[in-house]
Amino acid sequence: MSAAATPVPLSRSEVFGQLRRELFEDEEFRQSDTHIFIILGASGDLAKKKIYPTLWWLFRDRLLPEDTHFVGFARSNLTVDDIRVHCLPYLKASEAEQEKLSRFFQRNSYLSGRYGEEESFRRLDAHLGALPRGAAANRLFYLALPPSVYQDVTRNIRHTCMSSKGWNRVIVEKPFGKDLESSDRLSQHLSTLFTEDQIYRIDHYLGKEMVQNLMVLRFGNRIFGPIWTRDSVACVVLTFKEPFGTQGRGGYFNEFGIIRDVMQNHLLQMLSLVAMEKPASTSSDDVRDEKVKVLKSVQPLSLDNVVLGQYVGEPNGEGEARLGYLDDETVPPDSSTPTFAAAVLYVQNERWDGESVSVGLCPCPCLAMH
């Protein structure tokens, strides 16, 4: 009896080849062969650290259609060279990749304008149409912006910038509103402008490799099935730390604070992945349904289980460690916005109920406390 053949792992290029075939054979995706990725808020922190680096990596690995263009839009008066300089520390491009990196930025353009001004978006539409085959291109609008401008921006997109032939998509970043009321108001507003299949609500934290691997770690290893319960786990602690301050983003951060900026989106997504049951499939709907079950099982948070704080500078520290939250010039000097929060949540379902299993959320986005 012959032994079973040992499966040979696919190489990196073979994996990317399969991904390319799956992407490019999709009929809806091929509505137009030209694609334009528009980054609204291109001068911001999210664009610099996450969006442009990700687009570069997709371009480098040939996971984007050949005829793809990238357009940045923001209030700042910048050039593509400025964008490249700002993003360079996060692109992780080797010396051997510099020529390809230059080709990537040759596909980029930038336009400055005001988010609430329709004329600025008319100029953006004219710019998109002037790109090669741009008038008929598929257009994807990424809103790397604070929720306070979502309504103006989406209204201007709908009225002035929609593709006449290709598909149109709008990606809305977290935080999706400031509270339940503003979230509902934003949902109602978007539904009057776009169909549901044109709207993507995303949390970029779910793109992190370790977060993506959580489901595989949990449900792909049978050893964890019987022990991932209240009988074997006393406590789960989720910790979010960053070794820098607001770095000029105080205007945004001071309006939202650490709970809205990190806890109610990034860390609750992590909590859901850790605590949920195995979904029926890996489809987005099935995964979402299991996450919702977890969140419905969480006890309302009481003030007795919350600690709030605001970071101050360390006089004997080095570099940024010497600066506290109020030392940022973009932060009001009398601000009481929390930059540290720790909370304990209790998940009351069959897997975790009984011996109270607590989940501690400890986002730490600034510097060590004095």
Side-chain angles (χ1 to χ4, degrees), residues 347-363:
V347 181
Q348 294 186 314
N349 60 17
E350 184 177 1
R351 179 177 293 274
W352 300 110
D353 199 12
E355 298 178 16
S356 298
V357 177
S358 61
V359 181
L361 306 178
C362 311

Side-chain angles (χ1 to χ4, degrees), residues 75-235:
R75 290 175 296 197
S76 304
N77 188 20
L78 299 174
T79 66
V80 172
D81 286 339
D82 294 328
I83 296 289
R84 178 171 180 165
V85 170
H86 294 161
C87 298
L88 204 55
Y90 308 98
L91 298 178
K92 302 177 183 177
S94 66
E95 285 296 324
E97 294 170 337
Q98 292 305 308
E99 183 181 348
K100 183 174 285 189
L101 182 64
S102 295
R103 293 203 303 272
F104 168 70
F105 278 104
Q106 287 171 4
R107 299 282 189 95
N108 276 261
S109 56
Y110 179 85
L111 195 70
S112 63
R114 295 185 175 276
Y115 298 128
E117 184 179 79
E118 186 172 306
E119 180 57 33
S120 292
F121 282 80
R122 291 192 185 282
R123 289 193 292 108
L124 174 61
D125 182 60
H127 178 80
L128 300 177
L131 295 172
R133 295 165 296 283
N138 299 321
R139 297 182 180 183
L140 191 156
F141 299 87
Y142 195 116
L143 275 61
L145 299 164
S148 56
V149 298
Y150 279 176
Q151 293 198 22
D152 286 340
V153 168
T154 51
R155 186 184 302 110
N156 285 326
I157 289 173
R158 181 67 182 85
H159 292 163
T160 65
C161 292
M162 301 287 277
S163 175
S164 59
K165 179 182 176 182
W167 49 249
N168 298 275
R169 300 288 185 269
V170 175
I171 297 179
V172 185
E173 259 284 0
K174 71 88 189 171
F176 195 77
K178 190 175 181 179
D179 50 28
L180 179 59
E181 181 183 353
S182 60
S183 177
D184 287 343
R185 189 164 57 247
L186 180 56
S187 291
Q188 292 169 7
H189 169 78
L190 291 174
S191 68
T192 66
L193 301 174
F194 309 101
T195 59
E196 188 59 32
D197 63 356
Q198 292 178 312
I199 305 169
Y200 287 76
R201 304 166 184 85
I202 72 166
D203 183 338
H204 63 261
Y205 204 74
L206 295 178
K208 288 185 175 291
E209 188 173 2
M210 188 61 232
V211 178
Q212 290 186 321
N213 287 341
L214 265 176
M215 285 182 59
V216 177
L217 176 70
R218 280 197 60 193
F219 304 123
N221 291 280
R222 297 184 64 183
I223 187 175
F224 289 131
I227 64 174
W228 203 281
T229 69
R230 63 181 183 271
D231 299 319
S232 303
V233 179
C235 178

Side-chain angles (χ1 to χ4, degrees), residues 27-38 65 67-69 128 133-141 163-169:
E27 288 301 319
E28 184 180 10
F29 187 78
R30 292 296 297 275
Q31 199 165 320
S32 171
D33 286 332
T34 304
H35 300 75
I36 306 177
F37 194 108
I38 303 102
D67 195 11
T68 301
H69 304 272
L128 300 177
R133 295 165 296 283
N138 299 321
R139 297 182 180 183
L140 191 156
F141 299 87
S163 175
S164 59
K165 179 182 176 182
W167 49 249
N168 298 275
R169 300 288 185 269

Side-chain angles (χ1 to χ4, degrees), residues 234-247:
C235 178
V236 178
V237 179
L238 305 176
T239 305
F240 179 98
K241 294 182 179 180
E242 288 182 337
F244 49 82
T246 45
Q247 296 181 331

Side-chain angles (χ1 to χ4, degrees), residues 316-331:
N316 299 320
E318 297 181 2
E320 285 197 64
R322 298 176 64 89
L323 303 176
Y325 177 64
L326 297 181
D327 293 319
D328 187 328
E329 294 180 354
T330 60
V331 173

